[in-house]
Amino acid sequence: MTAELRWDERPQVTKSGEEDTHTMQSGGAIRVSGVGPQHTPATRIWFGQVSNTPGYRSLPHHHGEAETGGYVLRGKARIYFGDGFRDFLDMSQGDWVWVPPYMPHVEANMSTTEDLVWLTTRTPDNIVVNLEDVDDDTLEGYRRA
């Protein structure tokens, strides 16, 4: 099978400051789309940056049918998941994570003094389904700034 090359398409650059910010948010996580159907011809990828202030955590959420890949560009992260969000994985700068479709999770910045910045990709569109919030006390080791 040979891919069909479309001569009317070409690479597209999204310049700094021109990213799409009209993505679904979860409790204050700032999701900025650099590549996605919101503002490029892309149809099978969403690639963006998610920024979390010190001590921030997301609402419990999932990304629908989308698989999610993440890379910690800067900071200390924790993803809570599982029954009652009792399981978790810790990550720091340079670590990669994969989150399965429909998996409820909470993303947390474990630093109370430094920002956390992720690079994130998923397909299809940047799906974010927010779920009922949980008390901070249920998230082991989490502290707000």
Side-chain angles (χ1 to χ4, degrees), residues 37-89:
Q38 298 85 359
H39 59 99
T40 71
T43 59
R44 295 182 292 184
I45 188 171
W46 183 89
F47 181 43
Q49 178 177 297
V50 182
S51 299
N52 306 143
T53 57
Y56 164 85
R57 73 160 175 96
S58 70
L59 294 171
H61 65 282
H62 66 77
H63 300 288
E65 65 193 44
E67 293 182 286
T68 299
Y71 176 79
V72 180
L73 188 62
R74 189 171 64 245
K76 295 192 181 320
R78 178 173 282 180
I79 293 185
Y80 295 93
F81 61 98
D83 186 37
F85 301 101
R86 288 190 284 272
D87 298 321
F88 59 86
L89 297 170

Side-chain angles (χ1 to χ4, degrees), residues 66-140:
E67 293 182 286
T68 299
Y71 176 79
V72 180
L73 188 62
R74 189 171 64 245
K76 295 192 181 320
R78 178 173 282 180
I79 293 185
Y80 295 93
F81 61 98
D83 186 37
F85 301 101
R86 288 190 284 272
D87 298 321
F88 59 86
L89 297 170
D90 288 327
M91 294 153 287
S92 58
Q93 183 173 325
D95 289 343
W96 303 83
V97 64
W98 173 77
V99 180
Y102 298 102
M103 174 165 278
H105 61 282
V106 172
E107 301 156 9
N109 181 349
M110 297 307 285
S111 172
T112 58
T113 59
E114 303 292 325
D115 285 347
L116 169 62
V117 180
W118 306 80
L119 297 180
T120 305
T121 188
R122 67 179 59 94
T123 86
D125 294 344
N126 183 32
I127 300 167
V128 180
V129 178
N130 289 315
L131 305 170
E132 187 175 329
D133 204 1
V134 295
D135 289 332
D136 288 352
D137 296 345
T138 65
L139 303 172
E140 183 178 329

